[in-house]
């Protein structure tokens, strides 16, 4: 039964704001941090959950050491793991992602959509403009820089030739239909499905923290299923899986970013594009991320994010203005229509004839998004207090999807136009990390825009590492949001080390294998979370 949180004897956990007005706080004797180790040995303050931190850090350090010591032996292992999982379990990733989207959409149209995050009298912490800007920021990342050109041009090439990797079998010798299908497949990977995954995690974290008074950590979501057992080993396992998923999801992004930045530096300045350059980039940018971590969220992450959003918007605007402007303007609606038309076929998990596309593209993406979900979900949850479930889900599903469609249309259609109408084959023939810079090379101010592209990749790298360190530190500190800085420094260093280990141990295949392997168990965790969300919402008062 719902009660006014202000009249309840059990206060919310440390670091979690109290609900405003009627809300159904969970009555638990657990106190956040009660299982933590707090010490000041060796001159460093630490405040961490002993079991979650020690198991996570020791296993990950072991992985990094083995991969760096035996790169030639680990490469085939990564390749085999990726092939086995994608060949046999792609259907699970597609099925689960469909469930997440369906749950999010259905909740919009049910009375549960009236529940307000933070209590019935809670007021939003941010205006619509500020909130939308932060959702936009969450939706932007290294992935859009890396795949904004390469994915549309790749799908177009396979579709027009009828290659085995073509989405839905392609459209042989039909450039117009191939372009439409290529953009639909690209938007499918950046539209409703990834944001359905993020929405489920963000909503569950916000609900069980802001309305139920539990710590802002993944185990809290499972209180309706596990009850007080979430404070024991079942909860420890959930949080450890969240740490693994987040770390390897971040490492994948950092590895992609390093390979693209290295390619861009080679393109502009002739710097060798090899493992040494990529490792030096990861080390250098990780050190910058450490300085950002030590400055704190307000001075570090916030300022860098604002700079990055401004640069990303300017680059997008530049491509729209100097590129095929009318094609981009009309293509936005056409691509959206093609996406919606092909959505049922693209999201079908069973009986697909385009197995290479499903295994090589969709399964990897869904595992990547699932791995990123604790990181992005926690960010979205923290900025969405005061919103109703309905407006939360509509905004989280639609705002970043529209931004992604616009970005992919501007960059993808420009690259395809250069190939089809201008006869320029440079983008198609370039390596994946270089395709963005090759496309920009056909537009004015090449040196400036390419340099901005490199800076964007690097700053995305820094903000991802910085924000990811905060999230992982919160999980391994038992839900505390104000743990000592040295712990965040440790996790920032670990993220860089994993990215280096994966690049040296097998390159892009190793990155994909790692994210699919860690994404698989966390997929099961999130499917269970869907049930917990519905149970949690049913107990809340509705305005």
């Amino acid at each position: 039964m719902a009660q006014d949180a202000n009249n309840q004897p059990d206060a919310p956990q440390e670091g979690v704001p109290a609900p405003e007005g009627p809300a159904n706080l969970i009555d638990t004797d657990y106190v956040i941090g009660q299982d933590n180790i707090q010490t000041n040995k060796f001159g460093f303050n630490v405040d961490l959950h002993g079991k979650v931190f020690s198991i996570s850090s020791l296993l990950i350090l072991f992985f990094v050491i083995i991969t760096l010591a035996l790169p030639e032996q680990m490469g085939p292992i990564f390749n085999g793991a990726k092939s086995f999982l994608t060949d046999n379990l792609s259907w699970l990733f597609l099925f689960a992602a469909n469930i997440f989207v369906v749950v999010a959409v259905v909740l919009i149209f049910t009375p549960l959509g009236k529940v307000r995050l933070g209590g019935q009298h809670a007021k939003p912490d941010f205006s619509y403009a500020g909130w939308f800007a932060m959702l936009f920021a969450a939706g932007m990342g290294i992935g859009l820089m890396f795949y904004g050109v390469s994915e549309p041009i790749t799908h177009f090439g396979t579709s027009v030739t009828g290659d085995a990797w073509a989405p839905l079998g392609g459209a042989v010798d039909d450039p117009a239909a191939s372009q439409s299908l290529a953009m639909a497949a690209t938007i499918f990977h950046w539209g409703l499905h990834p944001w359905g995954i993020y929405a489920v995690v963000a909503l569950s974290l916000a609900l069980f923290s802001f309305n139920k008074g539990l710590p802002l950590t993944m185990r809290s979501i499972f209180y309706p299923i596990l009850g007080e057992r979430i404070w024991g080993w079942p909860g420890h396992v959930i949080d450890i899986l969240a740490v693994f998923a987040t770390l390897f999801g971040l490492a994948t992004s950092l590895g992609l970013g390093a390979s693209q930045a290295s390619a861009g530096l080679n393109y502009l300045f002739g710097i060798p594009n090899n493992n040494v350059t990529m490792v030096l980039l990861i080390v250098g940018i990780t050190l910058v991320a450490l300085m950002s971590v030590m400055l704190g969220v307000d001075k570090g992450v916030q300022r860098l994010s604002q700079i990055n959003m401004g640069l990303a918007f300017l680059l997008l605007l530049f491509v729209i203005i100097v590129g095929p402007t009318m094609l981009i303007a009309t293509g936005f609606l056409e691509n959206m229509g093609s996406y919606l038309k092909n959505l049922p076929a693209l999201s079908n998990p069973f009986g697909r004839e385009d197995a290479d596309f499903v295994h090589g593209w969709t399964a990897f993406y869904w595992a990547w998004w699932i791995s990123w979900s604790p990181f992005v979900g926690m960010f979205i949850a923290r900025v969405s207090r005061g919103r109703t479930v309905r407006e939360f889900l509509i905004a989280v599903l639609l705002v970043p999807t529209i931004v992604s469609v616009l970005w992919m249309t501007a960059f993808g259609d420009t690259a395809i136009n250069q190939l089809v109408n201008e006869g320029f084959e440079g983008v198609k023939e370039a390596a994946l990390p270089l395709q963005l810079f090759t496309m920009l090379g056909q537009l004015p101010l090449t040196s400036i825009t390419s340099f901005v592209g490199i800076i964007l990749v690097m700053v995305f790298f820094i903000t991802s590492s910085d924000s990811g360190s905060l999230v992982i530190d919160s999980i391994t500190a038992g839900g505390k949001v104000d743990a000592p800085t040295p712990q965040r420094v440790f996790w920032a260093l670990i993220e860089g080390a994993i990215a280096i280990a994966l690049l040296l141990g097998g390159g892009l295949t190793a990155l994909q294998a790692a994210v699919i392997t860690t994404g698989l168990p966390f997929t099961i965790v999130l499917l269970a979370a869907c049930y917990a969300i519905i149970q949690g919402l049913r107990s809340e008062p509705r305005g």
Side-chain angles (χ1 to χ4, degrees):
M1 180 177 178
Q3 303 176 46
D4 191 319
N6 297 323
N7 296 327
Q8 289 199 34
D10 299 300
Q13 297 284 350
E14 176 187 350
V16 177
E20 299 173 33
N24 192 19
L25 281 171
I26 287 175
D27 184 10
T28 177
D29 294 329
Y30 183 84
V31 177
I32 187 170
Q34 72 178 39
D35 295 328
N36 282 19
I37 297 170
Q38 297 178 330
T39 184
N40 191 23
K41 286 185 178 179
F42 311 112
F44 293 110
N45 286 323
V46 295
D47 185 357
L48 45 86
H49 192 289
K51 295 182 176 66
V52 174
F53 180 89
S54 58
I55 293 173
S56 302
S57 56
L58 288 174
L59 286 176
I60 288 163
L61 284 171
F62 175 77
F63 168 84
V64 169
I65 292 168
I66 290 293
T67 305
L68 289 175
L70 305 169
E72 293 183 4
Q73 289 82 357
M74 292 303 291
I77 293 174
F78 288 132
N79 194 40
K82 175 178 178 288
S83 298
F84 175 81
L85 291 173
T86 54
D87 290 351
N88 295 284
L89 293 170
S90 290
W91 67 269
L92 177 60
F93 287 114
L94 269 70
F95 176 78
N98 290 343
I99 293 294
F100 302 142
V101 173
V102 168
V103 167
V105 171
V106 167
L107 285 175
I108 291 172
F109 297 100
T110 69
L112 298 178
K114 296 180 180 179
V115 173
R116 188 172 294 276
L117 300 173
Q120 282 298 291
H121 299 160
K123 303 294 182 187
D125 294 330
F126 303 96
S127 66
Y128 274 116
W131 187 43
F132 288 161
M134 283 184 281
L135 294 179
F136 168 74
M140 294 290 292
I142 291 171
L144 283 181
M145 296 296 295
F146 192 90
Y147 288 108
V149 169
S150 63
E151 185 171 357
I153 199 76
T154 301
H155 293 331
F156 174 78
T158 57
S159 293
V160 81
T161 60
D163 187 277
W165 284 78
L168 303 179
V172 183
D173 295 330
D174 188 342
S178 292
Q179 181 169 355
S180 178
L181 185 57
M183 294 309 302
T186 301
I187 293 166
F188 171 60
H189 291 146
W190 296 86
L192 292 175
H193 278 75
W195 289 98
I197 295 167
Y198 295 153
V200 164
V201 177
L203 177 59
S204 54
L205 285 168
L207 175 68
F208 285 96
S209 292
F210 301 147
N211 293 62
K212 307 296 187 183
L214 298 181
L216 190 65
T217 186
M218 291 302 301
R219 71 174 72 204
S220 298
I221 299 169
F222 291 86
Y223 197 93
I225 299 173
L226 299 173
E228 291 293 312
R229 285 177 293 169
I230 66 168
W231 312 122
W233 274 107
H236 302 341
V237 170
I238 290 166
D239 278 351
I240 290 168
L241 286 175
V243 171
F244 286 163
T246 306
L247 270 174
F248 285 100
L250 278 167
T252 299
S253 297
L254 303 187
L256 292 176
S259 64
Q260 188 172 34
S262 177
L265 290 171
N266 175 261
Y267 179 78
L268 275 184
F269 306 114
I271 295 172
N273 182 16
N274 53 30
N275 283 342
V276 174
T277 301
M278 286 188 274
V279 169
L280 290 174
L281 275 169
I282 293 173
V283 170
I285 297 172
T286 299
L287 291 176
V288 177
L290 290 180
M291 288 188 282
S292 177
V293 163
M294 288 184 279
L295 284 171
V297 177
D298 290 338
K299 293 181 180 178
V301 180
Q302 187 177 23
R303 288 179 183 173
L304 285 172
S305 296
Q306 289 169 347
I307 292 169
N308 229 26
M309 287 307 101
L311 284 175
F313 177 76
L314 287 174
L315 185 60
L316 175 63
L317 195 63
F318 174 82
V319 172
I320 292 173
I321 292 172
V322 306
T325 307
M326 287 305 298
L327 177 65
I328 294 170
T330 57
F332 177 80
L333 294 176
E334 290 174 2
N335 293 339
M336 185 72 82
S338 180
Y339 163 58
L340 295 174
K341 174 187 172 184
N342 289 288
L343 183 58
L346 288 167
S347 57
N348 173 30
F350 305 110
R352 295 284 289 270
E353 296 182 1
D354 53 345
D356 286 346
F357 170 78
V358 174
H359 297 166
W361 285 97
T362 306
F364 161 65
Y365 269 128
W366 284 186
W368 194 13
W369 303 148
I370 288 167
S371 294
W372 264 68
S373 62
F375 164 41
V376 178
M378 198 169 290
F379 171 78
I380 295 173
R382 290 174 75 165
V383 301
S384 300
R385 189 173 182 274
R387 303 291 174 188
T388 66
V389 169
R390 181 168 293 127
E391 65 180 325
F392 171 89
L393 289 173
I394 290 172
V396 171
L397 286 175
L398 293 185
V399 172
T401 295
I402 291 170
V403 170
S404 296
V405 173
L406 180 59
W407 184 277
M408 291 300 185
T409 296
F411 285 79
D413 275 346
T414 298
I416 294 172
N417 178 70
Q418 289 176 355
L419 174 64
V420 174
N421 297 324
E422 299 175 12
F424 177 68
E425 297 189 354
V427 178
K428 184 183 76 170
E429 295 172 353
L432 281 183
L434 195 56
Q435 288 181 327
L436 168 67
F437 303 107
T438 308
M439 183 276 284
L440 291 174
Q442 294 301 106
L443 303 177
L445 306 176
T446 300
S447 297
I448 296 174
T449 56
S450 295
F451 186 70
V452 168
I454 295 170
I455 295 299
L456 272 171
V457 171
M458 290 182 175
V459 181
F460 276 133
F461 194 142
I462 295 165
T463 53
S464 294
S465 176
D466 199 340
S467 304
S469 302
L470 291 171
V471 170
I472 295 167
D473 184 37
S474 177
I475 296 171
T476 55
K480 287 194 172 183
V481 294
D482 54 353
T485 300
Q487 295 172 205
R488 297 201 297 276
V489 169
F490 171 80
W491 289 117
L493 289 171
I494 288 293
E495 287 158 23
I498 292 174
I500 290 171
L502 289 172
L503 276 174
L504 297 180
L508 182 59
T509 299
L511 295 170
Q512 292 177 329
V515 82
I516 290 170
T517 304
T518 54
L520 179 64
F522 207 65
T523 301
I524 309 300
V525 170
L526 295 191
L527 285 170
C530 291
Y531 170 80
I533 289 174
I534 294 169
Q535 291 300 102
L537 287 172
R538 288 177 62 189
S539 67
E540 284 296 304
R542 301 188 282 274

